[in-house]
Amino acid sequence: MVEVTEEVQKAEEYKAQANKNFKDKHYAAAVVGYTQAIELRPDYAIYWANRAAAHIRLEEYGSAIADATQAIEADPDYIKGYYRRGDANFALGKFKDAIKDLRTAAKRAPRDPDLRHKLSECEKAVKRIRFEEALATPESEITHVSDTIDLESMAVEESYSGPRMQEDGEGGYALTRDFVVAMMEEFKAQRLIHKRFAFQILLEARKLLRDLPSLVDIPVAPEGHITVCGDVHGQYYDLLNIFDLNGLPSADNPYLFNGDFVDRGSFSVEVIFTLLAWKVLEPSCIHLSRGNHESHSMNKMYGFDGEVKAKYSGLMLDVFREVFNWLPLAFVISDKVLVLHGGLFSRDDVSLDDLRKVHRNQEPPEDGLMCECLWSDPAPQPGRQLSKRGVGLQFGPDVTKAFLEKNGLELVVRSHEVKEEGYEVAHDGRLITVFSAPNYCDQMGNKGAFVRFNGADMVPHFTTFEAVPHPDVKPMAYASSFLNYMM
């Protein structure tokens, strides 16, 4: 029996308020409340496990694992400690670690149906990985799927009533602005384009991207401008709203979309085809950087894999993977602004030339410059810390300042994190986070934002916007059922 001291009573009050914030989907506020409770009762497992759950909702899986571990240390019989740690490890793709905790939890609660389902999904994932490893082909012997696609064999049937590319007189087709605009309307009406045209967009995009360096320089004339958008995450109708607010892409109205085009939202196919089609139509009108979700492991769990197979085919998914591997990792705008999806690096000596030379035609590694480009996050405190996500690192304002000074830059723009107002200025004005998926996953209540830079001064100008209605297809509709049990 715990003595109800003033300290215990206050901790329970903090927990009750944090629980309310969690229920109302204010997860960052919930973390604060659970932290206050933990400070008063650090040996109470429930507070640690509850904070782990809030970190999971914020996609801070590294912090969730640390908190769940503390819960287990405080009470080795507390089932939710193992449950939460298993959830976080699964979300990071660490299926073998997840299985250990879920099996331990299952022994303590053998009749819990959610737990049995999660354990089954985790075991399937491990079997799938072992199967893929057994079939793995040495890199020197790999045949690229894109090189085997025969567009001419894909006849466009007379019965197909959707938008058609312009015939080129030689049995082929050419992409036009009219087609891209009609395609966007087709997607808006929840219809797809013919696979012949879809594959052509992919193959032409791959060819364009393959010729780019890993860091791309974008000049902006003094009288010109460029708009930088953050994560879109399959929220196609919010992407259309961005174009309504800021105009369609063109050579005079260019965009840079900063990664995480797909996953989570259930219209990722529509988003990525729209962005790639504009890129193919006029390469200077849109620039696309790679996010951590343009990867095989993330797509298998968070929905893009299942969505492409449902709407087209597994063959198309293989081509998407090859396209994603050629997306640049970073951009420098007008020699002043570095744009990349995640953040900065574990080393002080990283130069822009180092980024240009990164070998990117691969799935993201677990460490190194490419990993940090895609996964790192800023932190308010100086120095470098372990990542709250469990991948990459956290870097402080001193790291940002030193990197900018070393490379003659003025500003870092990154994405990768939900922000309530759609953007956040940090690190003494030297770092901006921009996130363009409002009401993320239909539950976060955040605004979206984009940033416009005028070439004359490269000062950031922010536009925020609310989510718009979309058809009744829930986020994560194509994701791993394990993750839907976590939502």
Side-chain angles (χ1 to χ4, degrees):
M1 187 77 176
V2 176
E3 183 183 355
V4 183
T5 63
E6 185 178 339
E7 210 167 59
V8 169
Q9 186 175 348
K10 189 65 176 174
E12 283 296 296
E13 289 173 4
Y14 285 137
K15 175 196 165 192
Q17 183 59 47
N19 286 349
K20 182 179 184 303
N21 281 325
F22 188 97
K23 184 178 179 182
D24 293 340
K25 301 176 182 176
H26 302 313
Y27 302 118
V31 167
V32 172
Y34 294 133
T35 300
Q36 292 170 318
I38 287 168
E39 288 170 353
L40 294 173
R41 297 182 68 189
D43 58 347
Y44 196 46
I46 291 174
Y47 298 162
W48 291 103
N50 285 5
R51 193 171 75 174
H55 281 306
I56 286 171
R57 293 301 180 95
L58 291 168
E59 301 181 19
E60 297 170 352
Y61 301 120
S63 295
I65 290 168
D67 279 357
T69 300
Q70 288 285 350
I72 292 166
E73 289 179 1
D75 184 356
D77 292 321
Y78 186 56
I79 184 175
K80 287 190 177 177
Y82 301 99
Y83 207 123
R84 302 295 182 224
R85 195 165 68 181
D87 285 350
N89 273 313
F90 187 96
L92 285 172
K94 297 180 179 179
F95 304 125
K96 294 177 183 177
D97 291 334
I99 277 181
K100 292 178 185 176
D101 284 324
L102 294 175
R103 283 177 176 166
T104 300
K107 288 178 182 177
R108 288 164 167 76
R111 296 183 180 179
D112 185 325
D114 287 0
L115 190 51
R116 289 202 307 270
H117 178 83
K118 287 185 176 186
L119 183 55
S120 173
E121 288 296 308
C122 204
E123 288 169 341
K124 287 177 187 175
V126 170
K127 287 179 183 177
R128 185 179 66 242
I129 289 171
R130 287 173 179 161
F131 180 72
E132 290 172 353
E133 289 173 348
L135 294 178
T137 305
E139 189 171 350
S140 60
E141 300 175 19
I142 290 175
T143 299
H144 295 292
V145 176
S146 300
D147 297 331
T148 70
I149 302 298
D150 180 13
L151 292 177
E152 293 183 5
S153 68
M154 299 179 188
V156 181
E157 303 84 358
E158 288 297 323
S159 59
Y160 170 70
S161 60
R164 292 172 178 257
M165 291 186 182
Q166 181 175 298
E167 294 187 30
D168 63 7
E170 299 178 4
Y173 293 91
L175 189 70
T176 63
R177 182 182 177 87
D178 286 345
F179 172 84
V180 177
V181 172
M183 178 188 72
M184 291 169 62
E185 288 300 311
E186 195 78 353
F187 289 160
K188 186 177 180 180
Q190 290 186 273
R191 296 188 295 265
L192 298 172
I193 58 171
H194 195 280
K195 68 177 182 179
R196 166 66 173 76
F197 305 132
F199 272 111
Q200 181 165 332
I201 291 169
L202 283 175
L203 296 180
E204 292 191 25
R206 176 176 176 261
K207 184 178 179 182
L208 274 171
L209 296 171
R210 196 171 49 187
D211 292 337
L212 297 175
S214 290
L215 181 147
V216 178
D217 291 285
I218 306 174
V220 179
E223 66 278 8
H225 67 268
I226 189 169
T227 300
V228 180
C229 299
D231 304 37
V232 178
H233 272 302
Q235 296 185 197
Y236 179 67
Y237 296 84
D238 294 306
L239 173 65
L240 294 182
N241 188 39
I242 291 172
F243 292 151
D244 286 342
L245 293 169
N246 197 60
L248 289 173
S250 68
D252 295 327
N253 189 36
Y255 285 83
L256 195 170
F257 281 85
N258 194 27
D260 280 12
F261 321 118
V262 302
D263 282 340
R264 296 286 193 180
S266 296
F267 301 96
S268 293
V269 163
E270 291 82 354
V271 165
I272 191 60
F273 273 127
T274 297
L275 297 178
L276 291 176
W278 283 110
K279 181 67 180 175
V280 170
L281 179 68
E282 173 49 70
S284 67
C285 82
I286 205 161
H287 306 277
L288 305 172
S289 64
R290 191 173 187 174
N292 61 300
H293 276 267
E294 278 69 58
S295 68
H296 186 187
S297 60
M298 293 290 103
N299 296 162
K300 282 193 297 186
M301 289 191 291
Y302 289 93
F304 187 62
D305 190 317
E307 185 181 342
V308 174
K309 289 177 179 176
K311 293 179 178 178
Y312 284 103
S313 66
L315 176 66
M316 183 175 285
L317 182 64
D318 290 337
V319 178
F320 266 117
R321 288 172 184 155
E322 294 180 1
V323 172
F324 288 166
N325 281 357
W326 284 113
L327 287 165
L329 302 178
F331 292 82
V332 171
I333 306 174
S334 290
D335 299 320
K336 293 181 178 180
V337 179
L338 174 71
V339 182
L340 73 177
H341 182 72
L344 299 181
F345 311 103
S346 54
R347 295 171 15 214
D348 287 326
D349 61 346
V350 176
S351 69
L352 298 182
D353 278 340
D354 291 331
L355 298 181
R356 288 188 181 95
K357 295 172 185 175
V358 171
H359 168 65
R360 72 182 188 278
N361 182 25
Q362 59 176 321
E363 289 299 316
E366 294 185 3
D367 53 27
L369 294 184
M370 182 173 176
C371 171
E372 291 160 3
C373 278
L374 302 181
W375 280 97
S376 292
D377 293 293
Q381 62 269 35
R384 296 177 173 91
Q385 299 86 38
L386 292 175
S387 170
K388 59 190 177 184
R389 298 177 187 268
V391 188
L393 70 145
Q394 295 187 94
F395 59 96
D398 54 328
V399 176
T400 300
K401 181 174 184 288
F403 176 85
L404 292 173
E405 289 177 350
K406 172 179 172 56
N407 289 285
L409 300 170
E410 297 178 2
L411 182 67
V412 174
V413 177
R414 43 90 61 181
S415 302
H416 196 41
E417 287 183 286
V418 181
K419 297 298 176 183
E420 285 198 17
E421 292 301 310
Y423 73 95
E424 181 181 78
V425 180
H427 289 189
D428 304 312
R430 296 185 179 92
L431 183 139
I432 289 170
T433 297
V434 58
F435 193 85
S436 303
N439 194 24
Y440 180 46
C441 290
D442 284 359
Q443 66 171 285
M444 297 298 286
N446 61 291
K447 294 177 183 176
F450 52 80
V451 192
R452 181 166 169 151
F453 292 93
N454 295 320
D457 56 19
M458 292 302 292
V459 172
H461 301 274
F462 302 97
T463 298
T464 63
F465 53 94
E466 302 283 354
V468 297
H470 64 75
D472 189 20
V473 182
K474 302 300 183 188
M476 305 285 281
Y478 301 94
S480 162
S481 58
F482 185 109
L483 294 175
N484 280 306
Y485 273 78
M486 289 167 54
M487 297 299 289

